Amino acid sequence: MPEIKVTPLGAGQDVGRSCILVSIAGKNVMLDCGMHMGYNDDRRFPDFSYITQNGRLTDFLDCVIISHFHLDHCGALPYFSEMVGYDGPIYMTHPTKAICPILLEDYRKITVDKKGETNFFTSQMIKDCMKKVVAVHLHQTVQVDEELEIKAYYAGHVLGAAMFQIKVGCESVVYTGDYNMTPDRHLGAAWIDKCRPDLLISESTYATTIRDSKRCRERDFLKKVHETVERGGKVLIPVFALGRAQELCILLETFWERMNLKAPIYFSTGLTEKANHYYKLFITWTNQKIRKTFVQRNMFEFKHIKAFDRAFADNPGPMVVFATPGMLHAGQSLQIFRKWAGNEKNMVIMPGYCVQGTVGHKILSGQRKLEMEGRQMLEVKMQVEYMSFSAHADAKGIMQLIRQAEPRNVLLVHGEAKKMEFLKQKIEQEFHVSCFMPANGETTTILTNPCIPVDISLGLLKRETAIGPLPDAKKPKLMHGTLLMKDNSFRLVSPEQALKELGLAEHQLRFTCRVHIQDPRKEHETVLRVYNHLKGILKDYSVQHLPDGSITVESILIQATAHSEDQGTKVLLVSWTYQDEELGSYLTSLLKKGLPQSTP
Amino acid sequence: MLDCGLDMTSTLNFLPLPLVQSPRLSKLPGWVLKDGSTFLDKELKECSGHVFVDSVPEFCLPETELLDLSTVDVILISNYHCMMALPYITEYTGFTGTVYATEPTVQIGRLLMEELVNSIERVPKAQSASMWKNKEVQRLLPAPLKDAVEVSMWRKCYTMPEVNAALSKIQLVGYSQKIELFGAVQVTPLSSGYALGSSNWIIQSHYEKVSYVSGSSLLTTHPQPMDQASLKNSDVLILTGLTQIPTANPDGMVGEFCSNLAMTVRNGGNVLVPCYPSGVIYDLLECLYQYIDSAGLSNVPFYFISPVANSSLEFSQIFAEWLCHNKQTKVYLPEPPFPHAELIQTNKLKHYPSIHGDFSNDFKQPCVVFTGHPSLRFGDVVHFMELWGKSSLNTVIFTEPDFSYLDALAPYQPLAMKCVYCPIDTRLNFIQVSKLLKEVQPLHVVCPEQYTQPPPTQSHRTDLMIDCQPPAMSYRRAEVLTLPYKRRYEKIEIMPDLADSLVPLEIKPGISLATVSAVLHTKDNKHVLQLPPKPPQPPASKKRKRVSDDVPECKSLKPLLSGSIPVDQFVQTLEKHGFSDVKVEDTAKGHIVLLQEAETLIQLEEDSTHIICDNDEPLRVKLRDLVLKFLQKF
């Protein structure tokens, strides 16, 4: 029985270093190649040695697919392709291809230049790795090889994020990457057609959450920022350079404009300007409203938001600062946090999910005394707020996607085990499909039951669809054909054609039955009575009385002769071929019962 | 339906629509028939020996009489020039199907339509001439009006609401996206290399493949290169939209364009470039970007005037995925893919919605103006022709190949300004066509009639026609062409449980067969075979039924039989089954087996068996089954 095998190397009952191996109909595909924000040792990358013990990765993997540019989905890519060694194709969308190398370079700089790590990938490796990338359009069917095809669907989440369908023959898998089922201020909602995959691999970050309406969250966010600024406090919003940052910038920009606020808003790192450029150039990937109005007013040209300088952090008075990275695990956001943490007037708003082990995660779980590098203790007095702005589908969204795609099985990744367990039960109850949640390194096997495609001769197909007095589209039709199997080619043809092709003659099997009837009348009168009798019963059949005195029912022939000894008995010869067996047999038994009493 | 373009050359028969009152045009004399009758002098005006209709320009629509357009399911658009008739089709013919096009095609197509509507609607014309269209009257007119075809079908321009309604019926698609149509065929757009989002289309079923190649280019300009590989293995390749100027080399023309432009400006003259708001203009601006500094033109203002100028320039920058590789790489940096962004930033290129408003304040001469419409019959270009036509210092440079430049200029004669004809048409020429056909090797080529013979004006140039083997099949207006292809097979799916139930039998080495009796389900043109349902068990308490209830309901099909029956073995089998009085007689063709007691005889021949018996059903069935044991079923 054909099967699909799935093994997460990362993101199995966990969030971080997404990396999932899929084997489908003899093809091996790696989905995402991410790093883990919570680790700084070997565990930050997936364990690629699992894939093959001593063979080359290029020989084993048919392709690698990257769903979006977040580092937990692509951060290990240069390590994987250049240091472990992979030369096959890597697929991602155009915006991902554009932005991914910048984030990788950023990541490399923090790791190597700031933390002083050696044995990490180099800038050149990032460039070499990106040369192996093939950019794909949305909905384009990419033929990886003769059998394997992939197709990208819009996933929302961040600019260029995509879900991918992987298809071999009539078996298919859909991998969602990270997605968002509700449109936000800059991106649209994820969408997929009813493609009925054998397996849907879905993220489940918010497996148990059902978020309140976006509007409420936005109002809450603005209120908190506004209040803090009003009382002279500073607001720190740790973000990743691309994604939520743009959404929140649009939000604050319009709010500042409307309320005529004067407190400065800053955006840290040089990436901002560039990031906004990407949004301008890839505006076709944003939501409907922004696309429609971009000629008149480009939403990514901000008036109130200015570039941040390190020195500004010590300026007196209120301000709002967007700083990277988003989980407070390193870089500028962490520096500013350390500066402002001691003042209760200030506020830090975490707009997204924080991985375990990061400072962001610690303060969100209520820790107020943090041990920083060099055993320094940091007391957190500033207000800590969490607002889920990260663009992941919530439980409702995940269910909605399952309803859209109608998969035969579901597999959850990119979430916490406990929450997954809950969602798994819900999915199995509601959709009556199997749902899996393998841990890292654990293989899930799904049996598929693919149909077998064969070639049918048009002659046979048309004959079968035309049969019957009134073709009824809804009524299933019984068809009979011969399947010829020759070197892997399967052809369904009419029996006649099969005989002809094989050079065989048909063997005719014919039956002739003598049926005795008591009828003193003349032969031709008997025949007429038989004719009328049959005509009356066999309404759906063609019954004919031929000039030579015989009767046909379809291709069955009935002739009458007088009995040689008994003139009062007539002998009916009913003759039919094996193909008319049913009708012939029926006719003889019908005639054997005799003719009805004649009515004058 | 493949494409729906609009024939705009019909507008050449009309007088230009001036933006401001033109004394010259309004003073043109009315046309008088040879016999002196003047009843047409309000409708027709004469200018330098040519006669023009003084009315709102009208367009020649695609043929709509031949077929009922409400029966068209799908329209495939190949590029934004080929969709200009869409509002006429979608809004007035009962068409209810879907239109497929790429996103750039739709966005830029919208711009072209918007410009068209705008330039005609902003100059309302009181008069609408129709008398000249009368067949009796038209006969009396001078050429080319006399020979204009189907003038009664010419239509005025559509309106913006109609454009919006038409465009709302378009479904956006991406290159290499497979789109299922009713489960019967799959269509796929491929990059054609001619314009932003321009596509060729593949229309295929499981066994047949038709390629529609329309408006393709092998030159490297701004769009994504043409996808040739996917056109391979076509049964039929429909080829159209070749270059209109097969003798002109686009690169040479661009060079000529630049040098003529520079010369005019240096001499203190103005340059007018009648153009569409998208397409070649991007390439021209890019050439000028590289050229102006070296040619000492840095201080010359370039104006781009069109109601959609701004949108066109903005849109060109956001279709990174549809651009050639070089331009894509720029976007990754991220920088705008087209250098006209820089021209605008440095104020070298300025764009205006029209000559009114800001433009009149900024206008400085000498200058270069890009504006539409290339037919010179409407749009801001009319104004500049009137303004600059009288001075020989000025030059008008024609770059769009769609209109004959002499015809375009006719209503402006006599003209002092210089006219330069540099048609830039990047579409396939005949050398490229034969290279392409060699590469993709279609079984049959289908093309418009005019491509199968040299151009009428250059009948000796046999190189200016399609040359392929077998010879291309040609079509012409209002003719039905049958494609030389017979369909033989289709795909059908066998459900796994049915497949399990099949019993294959090796009939010859390497060839196996299995008889299949199954239920055929057909839905959305997809065929699936399933296990036939088990016959329902007869209900336990059987009511007395009418005779006719027993009539076999549908003809259950019996397989064909093949093989022959060896008489000795057959007799042995009969004896084994209790027939003791078997007697065999030889005949010319075989044998007769007699069962004396049962008064039954069985004729055995090479390819037939005939069982003749009394009406003893159990006996007959028993004999039947014994015979069947010796035969193969098909």
Side-chain angles (χ1 to χ4, degrees):
Chain A
M1 187 78 83
E3 55 189 29
I4 296 174
K5 283 189 178 174
V6 182
T7 315
L9 298 185
Q13 303 180 1
D14 186 16
V15 176
R17 60 166 186 194
S18 281
C19 183
I20 298 135
L21 285 179
V22 172
S23 300
I24 169 171
K27 305 284 171 186
N28 298 307
V29 177
M30 189 165 101
L31 304 168
D32 280 337
C33 189
M35 55 82 99
H36 203 297
M37 314 247 182
Y39 301 115
N40 278 318
D41 51 22
D42 279 352
R43 288 172 298 172
R44 69 179 156 208
F45 292 149
D47 177 13
F48 298 114
S49 65
Y50 176 95
I51 301 176
T52 138
Q53 292 305 317
N54 31 34
R56 291 174 59 233
L57 287 175
T58 314
D59 298 333
F60 181 79
L61 290 173
D62 291 279
C63 74
V64 173
I65 294 171
I66 303 294
S67 64
H68 63 286
F69 60 65
H70 276 156
L71 288 173
D72 59 330
H73 292 258
C74 69
L77 200 56
Y79 169 76
F80 164 78
S81 74
E82 305 311 307
M83 297 174 77
V84 183
Y86 169 77
D87 297 319
I90 302 166
Y91 294 96
M92 51 178 87
T93 65
H94 282 269
T96 308
K97 185 182 174 188
I99 296 164
C100 179
I102 294 165
L103 296 185
L104 286 171
E105 181 58 31
D106 222 44
Y107 173 39
R108 189 200 63 83
K109 266 193 202 145
I110 290 176
T111 316
V112 177
D113 299 355
K114 293 237 170 87
K115 293 191 195 152
E117 277 191 52
T118 50
N119 193 25
F120 204 70
F121 53 76
T122 63
S123 295
Q124 188 55 43
M125 285 178 183
I126 298 175
K127 285 187 187 124
D128 292 340
C129 165
M130 293 312 290
K131 282 183 194 146
K132 297 169 184 171
V133 171
V134 182
V136 302
H137 292 254
L138 278 184
H139 302 162
Q140 171 191 11
T141 301
V142 180
Q143 214 71 43
V144 177
D145 59 34
E146 296 245 311
E147 289 107 29
L148 174 62
E149 57 181 51
I150 61 172
K151 180 177 176 182
Y153 291 92
Y154 191 79
H157 188 60
V158 289
L159 192 73
M163 307 190 275
F164 279 88
Q165 182 192 42
I166 300 109
K167 197 172 171 196
V168 183
C170 41
E171 292 171 87
S172 66
V173 172
V174 168
Y175 172 56
T176 63
D178 292 356
Y179 63 104
N180 189 8
M181 292 300 281
T182 46
D184 61 29
R185 285 194 177 253
H186 74 307
L187 296 175
W191 178 87
I192 195 162
D193 51 15
K194 207 177 279 307
C195 55
R196 298 194 177 94
D198 293 295
L199 176 65
L200 174 79
I201 304 177
S202 172
E203 67 134 320
S204 50
T205 322
Y206 289 117
T208 52
T209 320
I210 290 182
R211 283 177 295 176
D212 46 5
S213 93
K214 192 100 189 178
R215 293 259 164 242
C216 293
R217 252 177 300 147
E218 287 178 357
R219 212 178 307 128
D220 239 30
F221 170 78
L222 290 171
K223 199 172 141 218
K224 275 177 185 148
V225 172
H226 192 192
E227 280 169 5
T228 311
V229 171
E230 285 285 277
R231 65 167 180 259
K234 297 176 166 63
V235 182
L236 171 64
I237 308 170
V239 288
F240 288 96
L242 288 133
R244 238 25 52 204
Q246 277 69 27
E247 184 187 359
L248 296 178
C249 281
I250 292 174
L251 196 61
L252 280 190
E253 168 92 10
T254 40
F255 187 69
W256 249 237
E257 182 100 30
R258 197 174 70 221
M259 305 294 287
N260 201 14
L261 297 180
K262 292 287 178 276
I265 310 175
Y266 297 113
F267 203 123
S268 82
T269 77
L271 208 57
T272 338
E273 193 88 356
K274 240 178 164 177
N276 290 340
H277 257 301
Y278 281 115
Y279 277 86
K280 281 187 228 165
L281 293 171
F282 285 110
I283 214 140
T284 51
W285 284 79
T286 59
N287 69 25
Q288 201 76 29
K289 194 179 153 207
I290 292 184
R291 279 159 60 178
K292 262 205 170 129
T293 55
F294 90 102
V295 178
Q296 289 81 43
R297 181 180 177 337
N298 198 317
M299 289 295 261
F300 297 104
E301 275 162 18
F302 301 117
K303 267 191 272 169
H304 296 274
I305 301 169
K306 297 181 190 71
F308 180 73
D309 186 286
R310 187 176 300 214
F312 293 172
D314 298 320
N315 284 0
M319 67 173 84
V320 180
V321 175
F322 289 94
T324 57
M327 300 188 193
L328 285 179
H329 56 282
Q332 201 154 31
S333 61
L334 188 59
Q335 279 173 20
I336 299 172
F337 173 74
R338 290 170 78 162
K339 273 197 178 141
W340 294 357
N343 190 339
E344 60 275 357
K345 269 208 296 194
N346 296 341
M347 177 183 280
V348 58
I349 300 180
M350 306 298 295
Y353 182 85
C354 287
V355 161
Q356 232 170 20
T358 59
V359 172
H361 187 266
K362 284 178 192 155
I363 58 168
L364 280 184
S365 44
Q367 221 174 312
R368 287 295 173 264
K369 285 208 164 73
L370 301 170
E371 190 185 318
M372 308 306 282
E373 278 162 54
R375 306 228 160 177
Q376 230 180 311
M377 291 305 288
L378 179 71
E379 196 174 345
V380 183
K381 288 188 184 152
M382 75 197 299
Q383 296 178 52
V384 177
E385 292 289 344
Y386 171 70
M387 310 213 90
S388 156
F389 270 99
S390 60
H392 293 278
D394 60 5
K396 216 165 100 193
I398 296 170
M399 300 300 269
Q400 202 182 330
L401 187 84
I402 296 174
R403 210 165 293 126
Q404 266 182 28
E406 285 192 5
R408 294 188 187 92
N409 297 276
V410 177
L411 188 146
L412 300 176
V413 294
H414 200 283
E416 290 159 31
K418 259 195 208 151
K419 296 180 179 174
M420 277 186 181
E421 191 66 58
F422 175 81
L423 183 65
K424 172 178 144 76
Q425 280 176 9
K426 219 176 131 184
I427 290 171
E428 287 179 336
Q429 267 170 21
E430 185 161 342
F431 298 105
H432 308 289
V433 298
S434 308
C435 185
F436 306 87
M437 40 174 284
N440 287 334
E442 188 188 322
T443 301
T444 299
T445 305
I446 286 145
L447 294 180
T448 59
N449 210 353
C451 295
I452 297 155
V454 304
D455 300 347
I456 183 166
S457 84
L458 268 180
L460 177 64
L461 185 65
K462 286 198 174 143
R463 182 171 86 183
E464 296 304 332
T465 45
I467 254 173
L470 269 173
D472 182 356
K474 279 183 200 141
K475 207 167 158 190
K477 296 160 195 110
L478 197 68
M479 81 177 279
H480 180 80
T482 303
L483 187 64
L484 286 174
M485 288 162 276
K486 189 177 157 189
D487 321 319
N488 273 338
S489 93
F490 295 85
R491 286 185 306 132
L492 189 61
V493 298
S494 64
E496 293 87 349
Q497 193 181 338
L499 282 176
K500 208 171 132 195
E501 283 190 25
L502 294 167
L504 298 176
E506 190 195 334
H507 188 105
Q508 269 236 350
L509 175 57
R510 180 166 273 284
F511 306 97
T512 300
C513 261
R514 292 181 290 263
V515 185
H516 299 258
I517 292 189
Q518 299 301 325
D519 189 14
R521 276 166 257 227
K522 296 230 165 82
E523 271 162 45
H524 70 266
E525 282 172 23
T526 313
V527 168
L528 201 63
R529 286 186 69 202
V530 170
Y531 171 71
N532 287 333
H533 179 48
L534 294 180
K535 186 101 182 152
I537 290 173
L538 301 169
K539 288 200 171 66
D540 288 341
Y541 293 84
S542 136
V543 183
Q544 285 182 301
H545 189 185
L546 299 183
D548 67 355
S550 54
I551 299 170
T552 58
V553 179
E554 300 289 323
S555 60
I556 296 172
L557 187 71
I558 304 171
Q559 287 170 309
T561 53
H563 199 276
S564 51
E565 292 149 22
D566 177 7
Q567 285 299 320
T569 306
K570 300 287 180 297
V571 181
L572 293 177
L573 290 174
V574 184
S575 180
W576 70 96
T577 64
Y578 176 61
Q579 277 67 41
D580 284 320
E581 170 73 5
E582 231 103 293
L583 186 60
S585 159
Y586 168 76
L587 274 182
T588 50
S589 57
L590 178 70
L591 291 171
K592 196 174 177 183
K593 290 181 191 146
L595 294 173
Q597 289 308 307
S598 63
T599 41
Chain B
M1 185 158 128
L2 304 172
D3 282 330
C4 60
L6 196 57
D7 183 356
M8 292 202 240
T9 55
S10 59
T11 60
L12 292 176
N13 295 297
F14 292 79
L15 271 189
L17 286 180
L19 291 178
V20 287
Q21 182 74 13
S22 156
R24 186 187 70 85
L25 286 173
S26 50
K27 276 189 210 137
L28 287 177
W31 184 69
V32 182
L33 269 82
K34 272 185 205 131
D35 63 2
S37 34
T38 58
F39 68 97
L40 281 170
D41 70 345
K42 287 274 179 306
E43 294 204 346
L44 303 178
K45 302 284 176 189
E46 195 166 352
C47 176
S48 304
H50 287 83
V51 175
F52 298 95
V53 182
D54 187 10
S55 178
V56 184
E58 294 178 345
F59 308 107
C60 178
L61 270 54
E63 180 65 54
T64 52
E65 299 288 287
L66 258 187
L67 77 168
D68 180 1
L69 284 171
S70 67
T71 63
V72 171
D73 296 311
V74 165
I75 300 178
L76 305 179
I77 302 291
S78 57
N79 63 64
Y80 46 76
H81 285 298
C82 294
M83 59 186 279
M84 296 301 281
L86 204 58
Y88 296 115
I89 305 290
T90 58
E91 305 311 298
Y92 294 102
T93 61
F95 172 80
T96 54
T98 315
V99 185
Y100 290 98
T102 63
E103 181 166 7
T105 301
V106 176
Q107 299 295 5
I108 298 173
R110 178 196 293 276
L111 297 183
L112 291 184
M113 291 179 177
E114 226 178 285
E115 192 194 53
L116 191 66
V117 172
N118 183 291
S119 37
I120 287 182
E121 282 185 354
R122 66 203 259 224
V123 210
K125 189 132 182 151
Q127 158 156 332
S128 168
S130 58
M131 225 181 330
W132 69 277
K133 288 184 174 180
N134 184 309
K135 275 215 173 78
E136 293 305 309
V137 178
Q138 200 198 353
R139 219 161 33 87
L140 306 170
L141 304 180
L145 276 178
K146 185 173 69 177
D147 308 318
V149 288
E150 312 236 7
V151 289
S152 60
M153 299 294 296
W154 289 11
R155 287 284 172 273
K156 291 203 179 64
C157 190
Y158 33 72
T159 62
M160 257 347 259
E162 287 164 353
V163 169
N164 288 330
L167 295 182
S168 71
K169 294 176 173 101
I170 300 183
Q171 185 97 35
L172 295 184
V173 294
Y175 288 151
S176 305
Q177 179 178 346
K178 294 177 177 171
I179 304 134
E180 287 278 340
L181 299 184
F182 319 107
V185 287
Q186 206 179 51
V187 294
T188 310
L190 303 173
S191 176
S192 78
Y194 165 56
L196 268 178
S198 70
S199 11
N200 293 323
W201 288 87
I202 291 183
I203 305 155
Q204 63 186 341
S205 66
H206 286 293
Y207 296 96
E208 300 83 20
K209 177 169 171 179
V210 176
S211 300
Y212 173 57
V213 175
S214 159
S216 300
S217 177
L218 291 171
L219 301 179
T220 317
T221 58
H222 59 273
Q224 214 179 89
M226 176 179 179
D227 179 353
Q228 294 183 63
S230 308
L231 297 172
K232 284 183 181 171
N233 303 319
S234 299
D235 296 300
V236 175
L237 187 141
I238 304 171
L239 183 62
T240 184
L242 303 185
T243 176
Q244 310 218 30
I245 323 287
T247 47
N249 166 6
D251 281 337
M253 286 297 151
V254 171
E256 229 169 274
F257 169 81
C258 288
S259 60
N260 275 298
L261 182 144
M263 202 148 58
T264 306
V265 176
R266 263 187 231 123
N267 293 334
N270 300 296
V271 177
L272 177 61
V273 188
C275 63
Y276 293 115
S278 178
V280 177
I281 186 171
Y282 303 145
D283 297 317
L284 291 179
L285 289 175
E286 185 155 7
C287 286
L288 289 172
Y289 168 78
Q290 293 157 357
Y291 183 74
I292 44 179
D293 287 326
S294 65
L297 301 174
S298 340
N299 295 320
V300 179
F302 287 77
Y303 301 118
F304 177 18
I305 303 170
S306 160
V308 298
N310 186 27
S311 299
S312 166
L313 294 172
E314 289 285 342
F315 269 114
S316 67
Q317 307 287 21
I318 64 155
F319 290 124
E321 293 154 276
W322 309 84
L323 294 173
C324 64
H325 183 254
N326 271 345
K327 298 223 177 300
Q328 269 182 15
T329 322
K330 284 188 97 174
V331 174
Y332 291 166
L333 290 178
E335 280 171 21
F338 285 96
H340 52 239
E342 202 185 316
L343 287 176
I344 295 169
Q345 230 166 31
T346 54
N347 259 335
K348 284 175 181 157
L349 173 68
K350 294 181 177 181
H351 55 83
Y352 303 90
S354 87
I355 52 165
H356 301 300
D358 289 347
F359 176 70
S360 34
N361 301 327
D362 299 354
F363 183 44
K364 279 191 199 71
Q365 305 193 61
C367 64
V368 180
V369 170
F370 293 88
T371 189
H373 184 270
S375 66
L376 304 190
R377 291 303 180 271
F378 42 87
D380 299 278
V381 73
V382 176
H383 178 73
F384 288 99
M385 282 305 295
E386 295 286 337
L387 184 68
W388 291 343
K390 293 167 219 91
S391 165
S392 61
L393 280 179
N394 302 328
T395 307
V396 53
I397 309 181
F398 291 88
T399 55
E400 302 288 354
D402 287 353
F403 302 92
S404 144
Y405 79 105
L406 289 176
D407 292 345
L409 288 171
Y412 297 96
Q413 299 293 0
L415 206 58
M417 101 196 279
K418 280 198 289 288
C419 304
V420 178
Y421 184 51
C422 297
I424 298 168
D425 195 335
T426 57
R427 286 173 286 185
L428 297 175
N429 63 33
F430 290 99
I431 300 168
Q432 291 161 337
V433 164
S434 57
K435 215 178 108 194
L436 173 74
L437 291 181
K438 250 180 221 135
E439 183 75 24
V440 305
Q441 301 210 324
L443 285 184
H444 299 279
V445 175
V446 173
C447 67
E449 194 179 30
Q450 56 265 39
Y451 295 153
T452 57
Q453 56 212 27
T457 50
Q458 292 160 297
S459 52
H460 62 288
R461 293 288 300 268
T462 49
D463 56 326
L464 297 186
M465 57 183 273
I466 292 179
D467 179 28
C468 64
Q469 274 315 317
M473 307 171 60
S474 65
Y475 59 85
R476 55 178 141 181
R477 192 175 174 124
E479 199 178 75
V480 177
L481 187 72
T482 310
L483 297 183
Y485 200 85
K486 191 165 167 18
R487 299 179 58 222
R488 290 203 161 78
Y489 285 98
E490 220 173 277
K491 273 268 184 267
I492 194 166
E493 283 188 344
I494 295 186
M495 293 292 280
D497 47 350
L498 173 64
D500 285 343
S501 76
L502 296 180
V503 190
L505 185 74
E506 187 160 26
I507 201 103
K508 283 182 180 176
I511 304 178
S512 304
L513 65 81
T515 56
V516 181
S517 284
V519 175
L520 173 68
H521 282 271
T522 300
K523 195 181 164 195
D524 300 336
N525 287 313
K526 294 259 175 273
H527 311 293
V528 177
L529 282 181
Q530 292 182 341
L531 267 183
K534 293 205 177 72
Q537 294 297 318
S541 64
K542 225 176 171 180
K543 277 186 190 163
R544 209 184 140 75
K545 291 193 295 180
R546 293 197 354 249
V547 203
S548 56
D549 289 344
D550 285 333
V551 177
E553 198 182 294
C554 64
K555 287 209 276 180
S556 66
L557 286 149
K558 289 278 181 236
L560 291 186
L561 304 170
S562 178
S564 56
I565 299 169
V567 69
D568 297 339
Q569 285 177 41
F570 182 62
V571 170
Q572 279 170 26
T573 311
L574 284 177
E575 283 167 349
K576 218 188 281 169
H577 282 84
F579 296 97
S580 51
D581 55 347
V582 183
K583 204 177 133 195
V584 178
E585 287 173 15
D586 289 354
T587 65
K589 285 186 185 159
H591 312 274
I592 290 179
V593 178
L594 279 166
L595 306 176
Q596 288 168 321
E597 195 182 325
E599 287 190 43
T600 293
L601 67 112
I602 302 160
Q603 291 175 345
L604 292 180
E605 288 178 10
E606 176 72 26
D607 286 328
S608 68
T609 300
H610 194 169
I611 299 173
I612 301 160
C613 59
D614 264 344
N615 193 1
D616 180 353
E617 188 67 4
L619 171 70
R620 187 187 69 82
V621 168
K622 193 171 180 184
L623 288 174
R624 175 193 76 191
D625 293 341
L626 291 178
V627 167
L628 286 177
K629 274 188 189 162
F630 289 90
L631 298 171
Q632 283 154 351
K633 289 178 187 170
F634 280 82

